[in-house]
Amino acid sequence: MTATRTAGNTPAREARRGVLLQLVRPAARTVPWWALAAGGGLGLLAAA
């Protein structure tokens, strides 16, 4: 007998989403966004 999974927000998925947000928010605050933007701009400039 096989069970089918239903699409949607299961409790495990909700828990994973909460943990992910708790990990991403502090990491996003510590990233030097100016360096990423400068690197992206230089990469686009080199590609052009």
Side-chain angles (χ1 to χ4, degrees):
M1 182 174 164
T2 60
T4 59
R5 285 190 164 173
T6 59
N9 292 332
T10 61
R13 186 173 294 189
E14 287 292 327
R16 243 181 282 139
R17 184 177 297 149
V19 170
L20 184 65
L21 283 175
Q22 288 177 352
L23 292 173
V24 168
R25 285 179 184 155
R29 284 195 303 254
T30 60
V31 170
W33 291 105
W34 63 269
L36 288 177
L42 289 174
L44 288 173
L45 185 64

